[in-house]
Amino acid sequence: MTETRWLDSDEERAWRAVRRLLTVVPSRLARDLNQLGLSTADYEVLSTLSEKPGRRWALKDFAEKMQWSRSRLSHHAARMEARGLIEREPDPADARGSIYHLTDHGFDVLAEAAPGHLDSVRQRFIDHLSPEELAVLERVSTRIADLPD
């Protein structure tokens, strides 16, 4: 058994600051999105589908991108489908899977919400960082997010 490597005071301060950032910013962005009639997950689904060719994506790949189980995405998609935001069709390559398609209505809802969401992202995050800080944050975030499980 290896000995626990406790955080020193600088590491602990940095870790606590990151934890606070990861709590506060998403919470505020979610509150702002809710005022636009969408959840954070709704917006992620809509915006991701809008960027795919034909505005379609297979369940298994989509769930992996979202870091969700297939079941969780399927349940969320069912609620979005009931609102007319997306449609599902069988996946010919995966008998247990589906292909999700962003409807014209879903695209319109996204287009209406995007300016307000981007204003929120700027106000709550981007506008508080210099170009150099943004570049460092991008590199560090990418490096850490791309670590293997």
Side-chain angles (χ1 to χ4, degrees):
M1 185 168 175
T2 61
E3 187 175 320
T4 300
R5 293 180 52 218
W6 298 102
L7 303 180
D8 67 29
S9 59
D10 290 339
E11 292 167 333
E12 185 172 353
R13 263 193 327 280
W15 176 238
R16 287 180 184 270
V18 167
R19 285 185 52 197
R20 182 164 157 49
L21 177 75
L22 294 174
T23 300
V24 170
V25 173
S27 174
R28 291 174 180 166
L29 292 172
R31 193 171 49 233
D32 294 345
L33 268 173
N34 285 334
Q35 292 176 353
L36 299 172
L38 295 172
S39 69
T40 302
D42 291 341
Y43 192 88
E44 183 72 15
V45 167
L46 295 175
S47 64
T48 300
L49 283 175
S50 77
E51 297 166 356
K52 296 303 278 182
R55 300 191 299 203
R56 295 171 142 36
W57 209 357
L59 167 64
K60 64 183 171 92
D61 299 325
F62 201 176
E64 184 177 321
K65 188 267 182 201
M66 298 276 292
Q67 295 287 294
W68 286 8
S69 69
R70 284 176 157 201
S71 176
R72 180 179 177 191
L73 180 56
S74 183
H75 289 319
H76 191 83
R79 291 188 295 274
M80 293 183 75
E81 188 173 22
R83 293 163 47 204
L85 300 172
I86 64 172
E87 294 174 338
R88 289 191 278 186
E89 58 193 58
D91 184 347
D94 181 357
R96 297 182 315 136
S98 300
I99 303 288
Y100 293 108
H101 173 245
L102 178 62
T103 64
D104 290 340
H105 172 64
F107 187 80
D108 291 344
V109 167
L110 175 64
E112 188 174 312
H117 176 60
L118 294 175
D119 285 346
S120 176
V121 168
R122 286 194 166 284
Q123 174 192 4
R124 300 192 179 281
F125 189 77
I126 299 293
D127 291 346
H128 303 282
L129 300 168
S130 70
E132 296 78 18
E133 290 169 325
L134 281 171
V136 168
L137 186 58
E138 177 189 1
R139 284 193 308 273
V140 169
S141 297
T142 300
R143 181 174 64 221
I144 292 170
D146 289 348
L147 289 172
D149 279 342

